């Protein structure tokens, strides 16, 4: 449930919608919702301002991340920073989801690296000085987060924070937006993100056979390899599917 | 210390409602909205507490369904329940008027209401009731139902009593509307996760079969499809089975 103080602080919806409207529309967006979500990320970058922003959806198995989809992102290195939260299993989005409250880490190289020994230093390497996560929850269901990155350390100003809260509201609605391609049976934003990621699940299936492990463990192995090599999960998965990378049973 | 917040008159008696009791009822009602929300339990509480607070014999509650038809939801006792059911059936009575007009129906004379409610009035009198009042469950432009109060004596409600009952009705309405929109959004979110899960399972199964049969994922998909069709099973179901228990379809996975 929303906390009363968050409600009082939210920036007006109309202001955020105007900010998104002001971003250029893409002609090749796969659906209206995806297109608008991309514009939302760009609007966050421009308005807060920020170096990068991303909207990601997680699925959790037994409280631990089983998969991760970045539905949209904007800004230099934002997509990689989003992915880093998944591969490392650390970062503000997890905390934001668990507590249903925004999380601010103004100093990634200092306190952030103590807080997140795997995520922190890697995020700094990728140009992030501060990071903020706004949870996207629907009742009891934690869907994901709106993540915002800055190069310079520091907290968000009150106005920027309030803006971000409303951006998160809009992002959640777009994620759940039902207008869609009839065949896919899921909100278009998610279906689209998933369709770019099929090799990850195929690789998961392959590891399940190679290593005789369950789906969750297979994903952990892929994630760990991605983290250690600093490569995106999708790249690692493509190598597995193409036979360029093989995991041995321990 | 008791602070007089409102008075309920019962015949010639004055009943004082202590501030704490009133506050307690509101908190109780609000509390049920938070965790493990149970609509029926919640509405039951509303009817019982409304009857108690107003000093009336019974209370009942009707809600409109998706087509705008009023349906019985809760009552504080059996007589009220039967009378509410009758109202719905007969399409006649103060709750229906109240829902249609979105205005409270207060202090109508039941004995003289034969013209206004030709079916309901006699039935209410038969059931032993002498007075009846109805309050709309409304929030801004939404009217979602009505709350009925009944008494075996010819009870009139004072303005402040009517205000308290309307306030209780308003709290109930906000809670119901919030629960509904939250539930709708949760259903959407669940569907989203469900749709993703079945698509993911198909890709995982493709990977598994590609390894088992030492082939590529597209050929693996063909194997999966043909197997599902042969066995008359849904593709997504076979995929989910195989991923959860690799030995579940030995004809497909070659495992026993």
């Amino acid at each position: 449930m929303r906390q009363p103080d968050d409600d009082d602080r939210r920036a007006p919806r109309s202001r955020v919608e105007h900010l998104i409207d002001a971003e250029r529309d893409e002609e090749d967006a796969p659906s209206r919702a995806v297109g608008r979500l991309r514009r939302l990320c760009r609007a966050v970058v421009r308005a807060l301002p920020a170096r990068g922003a991303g909207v990601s959806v997680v699925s959790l198995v037994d409280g631990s991340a089983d998969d991760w989809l970045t539905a949209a992102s904007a800004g230099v290195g934002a997509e990689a920073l989003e992915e880093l939260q998944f591969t490392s299993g650390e970062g503000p989005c997890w905390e934001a989801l668990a507590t249903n409250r925004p999380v601010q880490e103004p100093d990634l190289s200092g306190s952030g690296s103590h807080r997140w020994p795997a995520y922190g230093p890697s995020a700094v390497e990728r140009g992030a000085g501060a990071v903020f996560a706004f949870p996207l929850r629907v009742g009891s269901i934690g869907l994901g987060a709106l993540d915002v990155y800055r190069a310079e350390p520091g907290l968000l100003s009150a106005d920027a924070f309030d803006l971000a809260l409303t951006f998160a509201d809009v992002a959640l609605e777009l994620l759940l937006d039902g207008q869609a391609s009839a065949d896919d049976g899921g909100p278009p934003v998610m279906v689209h993100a998933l369709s770019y990621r099929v090799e990850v699940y195929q690789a998961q299936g392959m590891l399940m056979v190679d290593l005789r492990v369950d789906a969750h463990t297979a994903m952990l192995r892929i994630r760990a390899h991605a983290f250690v090599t600093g490569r995106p999960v999708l790249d690692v998965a493509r190598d597995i599917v193409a036979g360029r990378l093989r995991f041995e049973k321990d | 210390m008791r602070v007089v917040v409102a008075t309920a008159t019962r015949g010639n008696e004055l009943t004082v409602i202590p501030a704490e009791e009133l506050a307690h009822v509101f908190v109780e009602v609000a509390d049920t909205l938070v965790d493990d929300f149970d609509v029926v339990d919640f509405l039951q509480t509303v009817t019982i507490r409304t009857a108690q607070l107003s000093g009336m014999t019974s209370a009942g509650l009707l809600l409109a369904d998706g087509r705008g038809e009023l349906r019985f939801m809760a009552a504080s006792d059996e007589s009220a329940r039967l009378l509410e059911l009758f109202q719905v059936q007969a399409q006649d009575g103060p709750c229906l008027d109240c829902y249609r007009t979105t205005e409270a129906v207060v202090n109508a004379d039941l004995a003289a209401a034969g013209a206004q409610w030709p079916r309901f009035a006699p039935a209410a009198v038969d059931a032993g009731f002498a007075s009846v009042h109805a309050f709309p469950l409304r929030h801004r432009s939404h009217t979602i139902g009505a709350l009925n109060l009944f008494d075996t004596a010819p009870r009139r409600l004072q303005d402040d009593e009517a205000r308290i009952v309307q306030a209780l009705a308003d709290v109930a309405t906000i809670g119901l509307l919030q629960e509904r929109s939250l539930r709708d959004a949760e259903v959407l979110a669940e569907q989203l996760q469900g749709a993703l899960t079945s698509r993911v399972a198909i890709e995982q199964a493709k990977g598994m079969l590609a390894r088992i049969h030492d082939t590529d994922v597209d050929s693996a998909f063909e194997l999966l499809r043909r197997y599902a069709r042969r066995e008359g099973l849904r593709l997504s179901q076979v995929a989910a089975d195989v991923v959860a228990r690799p030995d579940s379809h030995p004809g497909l996975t070659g495992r026993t």
Side-chain angles (χ1 to χ4, degrees):
Chain A
M1 240 170 86
R2 281 203 197 136
Q3 306 302 314
D5 49 313
D6 285 350
D7 271 334
D8 296 339
R9 296 192 57 174
R10 278 170 158 78
R13 178 68 179 246
S14 52
R15 183 170 163 212
V16 162
E17 297 284 3
H18 280 131
L19 286 169
I20 301 173
D21 289 340
E23 297 294 331
R24 195 173 40 89
D25 204 355
E26 304 173 359
E27 279 137 25
D28 63 341
S31 73
R32 188 203 75 91
V34 172
R36 195 154 179 85
L37 210 48
R38 290 176 179 169
R39 289 163 76 186
L40 182 150
C41 290
R42 281 185 267 133
V44 168
V45 166
R46 192 194 298 275
L48 253 57
R51 178 189 168 93
V55 174
S56 294
V57 174
V58 307
S59 81
L60 298 171
V61 168
D62 301 328
S64 148
D66 196 46
D67 195 23
W68 174 282
L69 299 172
T70 296
S73 66
V76 180
E79 199 165 339
L81 280 164
E82 286 293 278
E83 174 108 348
L84 185 59
Q85 292 192 86
F86 178 46
T87 55
S88 69
E90 289 177 354
C93 77
W94 306 114
E95 237 174 85
L97 265 177
T99 60
N100 196 25
R101 299 206 64 109
V103 172
Q104 294 203 62
E105 179 46 72
D107 181 15
L108 266 175
S109 56
S111 50
S113 291
H114 287 294
R115 198 175 182 176
W116 303 307
Y119 170 79
S122 296
V124 171
E125 265 173 48
R126 283 166 175 73
V131 64
F132 320 96
F134 298 83
L136 306 174
R137 273 186 85 99
V138 178
S140 57
I141 299 174
L143 271 186
L146 166 66
D147 299 311
V148 178
Y149 306 94
R150 280 211 173 135
E152 298 307 315
L155 289 168
L156 289 176
S157 68
D159 186 53
F161 185 86
D162 299 348
L163 258 186
L165 284 175
T166 309
F167 270 117
D169 287 347
V170 177
L172 179 57
E173 282 178 25
L174 287 171
L175 277 182
L176 296 176
D177 182 36
Q179 291 171 353
S181 37
D183 51 344
D184 288 324
V189 172
M190 302 317 312
V191 169
H192 169 257
L194 206 155
S195 65
Y196 275 85
R197 210 170 168 72
V198 294
E199 285 109 327
V200 173
Y201 314 119
Q202 292 166 6
Q204 213 179 348
M206 291 178 178
L207 285 194
M208 286 167 72
V209 172
D210 289 348
L211 305 176
R212 295 201 162 255
V213 293
D214 64 17
H216 187 55
T217 307
M219 185 63 100
L220 284 174
R221 293 292 302 267
I222 296 171
R223 275 169 62 194
H225 188 89
F227 180 71
V228 160
T229 58
R231 299 172 63 211
V233 164
L234 185 54
D235 283 2
V236 171
R238 284 184 174 144
D239 281 353
I240 295 172
V241 172
R244 291 189 289 270
L245 178 61
R246 215 136 171 151
F247 284 68
E248 300 302 318
K249 192 164 159 49
D250 303 320
Chain B
M1 183 196 67
R2 274 184 341 174
V3 173
V4 174
V5 170
T7 57
T9 50
R10 200 172 177 80
N12 290 326
E13 306 158 29
L14 259 181
T15 314
V16 166
I17 303 174
E20 311 93 79
E21 191 190 320
L22 191 57
H24 178 79
V25 170
F26 276 98
V27 166
E28 181 189 30
V29 166
D31 261 354
T32 62
L33 301 179
V34 180
D35 307 302
D36 297 329
F37 186 85
D38 180 328
V39 171
V40 174
D41 184 39
F42 170 64
L43 293 177
Q44 196 74 37
T45 304
V46 168
T47 57
I48 291 169
R49 293 315 236 145
T50 305
Q52 281 174 350
L53 263 189
S54 62
M56 302 279 288
T57 315
S58 327
L61 195 150
L62 306 178
L63 280 186
D65 65 16
R67 289 195 318 268
E69 306 281 340
L70 283 179
R71 301 240 167 270
F72 169 75
M73 288 303 292
S76 60
D77 60 40
E78 186 63 6
S79 325
R81 187 180 77 87
L82 292 171
L83 200 52
E84 293 291 35
L85 285 170
F86 182 81
Q87 257 199 101
V88 169
Q89 225 174 349
Q91 284 292 290
D92 183 49
C95 256
L96 280 94
D97 288 355
C98 165
Y99 174 65
R100 283 189 208 120
T101 63
T102 74
E103 296 295 325
V105 174
V106 183
N107 296 329
D109 186 350
L110 242 191
Q116 194 176 358
W117 303 313
R119 287 179 287 265
F120 172 79
V125 168
D126 273 351
F129 293 114
S131 54
V132 61
H133 314 276
F135 294 83
L137 295 171
R138 84 187 158 213
H139 177 63
R140 298 203 186 131
S141 56
H142 286 102
T143 304
I144 62 173
L147 179 63
N148 247 163
L149 290 177
F150 308 97
D151 205 300
T152 49
R155 267 285 304 284
R156 293 186 65 78
L157 284 181
Q158 304 302 318
D159 285 349
D160 52 358
E161 295 169 304
R163 269 198 295 276
I164 289 178
V165 176
Q166 186 64 61
L168 274 171
D170 291 346
V171 167
T173 306
I174 290 174
L176 282 169
L177 287 176
Q178 207 171 3
E179 195 270 344
R180 265 183 208 176
S181 68
L182 184 61
R183 209 175 354 110
D184 285 347
E186 277 192 350
V187 165
L188 252 183
E190 275 172 355
Q191 284 175 345
L192 177 157
Q193 291 187 329
L196 296 187
T197 306
S198 63
R199 289 174 66 86
V200 163
I202 290 173
E203 298 300 329
Q204 289 166 338
K206 279 159 75 171
M208 290 178 72
L209 293 170
R211 274 295 199 263
I212 290 170
H213 297 284
D214 196 20
T215 184
D216 60 86
V217 288
D218 291 329
S219 309
F221 187 52
E222 265 310 297
L223 286 170
L224 177 62
R225 269 191 31 198
R226 273 192 243 131
Y227 176 85
R229 198 151 13 116
R230 214 164 50 228
E231 302 296 314
L233 298 167
R234 275 183 317 127
L235 188 69
S236 54
Q237 189 57 58
V238 175
D241 288 346
V242 165
V243 169
R245 288 178 325 275
D247 51 5
S248 55
H249 291 278
L252 179 59
T253 60
R255 293 181 175 189
T256 40

